[in-house]
Every structure is written in C-alpha cells, then in structure tokens.
Amino acid sequence: MREKILIVDDEQEIADLVEVYLTNEGYQVYKFYTALEALQCVEEQDLDLAVLDVMLPDMDGFTLCQRIREKHLFPIIMLSARVEDMDKITGLTLGADDYITKPFNPLELVARVKTQLRRYTRYNPSEDMPHDTDSYDIRGLHISQGSHKCTLNGKELGLTPIEFNILWYLCSHKGCVVSSEELFEAVWGEKYLDNNNTVMAHIARLREKLKEPPRRPRFIKTIWGVGYTIE
C-alpha cells in the first residue's frame, strides 16, 4: 500500500512541485492550499505524513500542526520562508518532527520525508508484527518499545515518534548523562550542529506531557553544560 502524504502550501507552484517529486517516488499525495481543507482531509484519510507551510491564508501552520497533534501522531515537516530560530523552536515544540527553510532543494525534502517515514514505521510496529517485550518502569512512568506505548500513573501519553524515541533512549541509558549531541545523532541519525536547538525544543515538549515541575523535574533532569539524564 502506498504511503499517504498531505501537502499544505498556499504557494501553488511550490505545492505542485512537491507533489510531482513525491508522486514520482510512489507516494499518494493529498494537496491543499488552505488549512481548513487540510484538516478535513486529516479526518477523512489515514495519513502517514504531513508537509505544512507556516504561512497559510486562513490559519498559520503552527496552529494547524497543533490541531493535528490533538489526535494524530504521524510525522509533520514544517516549511517556512522565515529563518529565525524561534520559529523553528515553536514548530518543534508544537509537535513538528522536522523543519525546512525555503527555498529548498526538492530532493532534500524527499530525503527527509523518507527518513521520517522510516523512523515512524520503525517505532510504530503493525499489529501483526512480533513485539519486543523490552520496557522500563520508572516511578510510575512505563514505556514499552514493543507496543510503542508510554503511560504515566496508568494514563497513556500521546507521544510523537520523535518524543517516544528520545524518552526511550534516555530510559535505556538510565543513570547516565546523555549529551545533546549524542541524543540528536541517536534519534535523528544526522550530524549535530552546535547551534541546534532541536533537542531542547523536544525535551521541553516531553516535560510538558510528563507534567514536570520546571524547577524540580521528576524524570528528565538537565545537567548544565553536559546533557540530560533520567536517574
């Protein structure tokens, strides 16, 4: 079955270009120029990934991302002509998995789509696949790699694939301090850059879902100048 990808961009030329490249790779593409049309598609189709522009005529892409994340965990890649770090951090904090600045090389976008889909498939096994029984229980936090579920005091947490992978990596290295560089390269599989705020944004989102007190977190602790740890 072909993977279904949502494209939302009010610049028709860009949307059409992305559609051509993704269609040529064998993906089934749903293309829209407004956020409301896209939201309707999200409800009607079982999508595998979304590519969202930040600047849309009826709703900004950040809000659209947030609306999608209320119910769905498939990967989201944000597109934006704005290069400010805060925009990138905002998108990642609201649940995006990747962020590409315009103008971009369509082949790079295709590569990032493939990377996100591989990661999503890897950490979201189908029902008929054999499940690994590995899991961790830490003070009411239970995370299982086989079922790809995470609960806190019995209540399931809606983690994105990236968030799950970060938390799993930290739990599997319980008691050790993991640097941002190590965490990024393990989870994203790419070379870490010194000015990369991606890990920080996702850690902040994870702490929010874990209902962590800002000053005295129970689970993910920051070791300043070194990295993160779960004790």
Side-chain angles (χ1 to χ4, degrees), residues 103-163:
F104 58 86
N105 185 330
L107 293 176
E108 179 186 358
L109 176 59
V110 170
R112 290 182 181 237
V113 165
K114 290 181 178 180
T115 297
Q116 291 297 332
L117 287 173
R118 280 197 304 269
R119 187 176 292 124
Y120 184 61
T121 302
R122 177 182 177 186
Y123 290 100
N124 289 270
S126 61
E127 293 294 329
D128 56 353
M129 289 179 63
H131 293 320
D132 192 344
T133 58
D134 287 348
S135 62
Y136 294 96
D137 290 281
I138 303 174
R139 296 186 298 281
L141 175 67
H142 177 82
I143 184 169
S144 170
Q145 189 179 46
S147 65
H148 193 264
K149 288 185 178 180
C150 180
T151 60
L152 179 60
N153 298 324
K155 184 177 180 180
E156 186 170 349
L157 303 177
L159 303 184
T160 67
I162 289 289
E163 291 165 352

Side-chain angles (χ1 to χ4, degrees), residues 181-193:
E181 178 179 0
E182 178 184 346
L183 194 55
F184 183 84
E185 294 183 357
V187 174
W188 279 265
E190 300 175 8
K191 185 66 178 176
Y192 179 82
L193 301 177

Side-chain angles (χ1 to χ4, degrees), residues 16-165:
D16 291 348
L17 181 65
V18 173
E19 179 185 26
V20 168
Y21 273 82
L22 292 177
T23 300
N24 287 341
E25 290 293 327
Y27 299 116
Q28 185 172 345
V29 174
Y30 297 85
K31 179 183 62 178
F32 300 97
Y33 306 119
T34 66
L36 293 180
E37 289 177 310
L39 283 173
Q40 183 176 351
C41 177
V42 169
E43 294 305 312
E44 295 175 351
Q45 300 293 333
D46 186 15
L47 299 171
D48 296 290
L49 183 143
V51 180
L52 313 179
D53 185 30
V54 170
M55 302 298 292
L56 296 170
D58 54 342
M59 179 190 303
D60 68 77
F62 296 136
T63 303
L64 175 57
C65 176
Q66 195 171 25
R67 291 278 297 275
I68 292 174
R69 277 288 173 256
E70 291 174 359
K71 297 181 180 179
H72 304 280
L73 298 177
F74 55 75
I76 296 176
I77 299 175
M78 304 293 296
L79 299 178
S80 177
R82 301 189 296 195
V83 298
E84 291 83 357
D85 283 344
M86 188 52 63
D87 287 331
K88 181 175 181 179
I89 292 172
T90 298
L92 295 172
T93 301
L94 293 176
D97 297 279
D98 204 351
Y99 191 103
I100 299 179
T101 304
K102 296 179 179 178
F104 58 86
N105 185 330
L107 293 176
E108 179 186 358
L109 176 59
V110 170
R112 290 182 181 237
V113 165
K114 290 181 178 180
T115 297
Q116 291 297 332
L117 287 173
R118 280 197 304 269
R119 187 176 292 124
Y120 184 61
T121 302
R122 177 182 177 186
Y123 290 100
N124 289 270
S126 61
E127 293 294 329
D128 56 353
M129 289 179 63
H131 293 320
D132 192 344
T133 58
D134 287 348
S135 62
Y136 294 96
D137 290 281
I138 303 174
R139 296 186 298 281
L141 175 67
H142 177 82
I143 184 169
S144 170
Q145 189 179 46
S147 65
H148 193 264
K149 288 185 178 180
C150 180
T151 60
L152 179 60
N153 298 324
K155 184 177 180 180
E156 186 170 349
L157 303 177
L159 303 184
T160 67
I162 289 289
E163 291 165 352
F164 180 91
N165 199 12

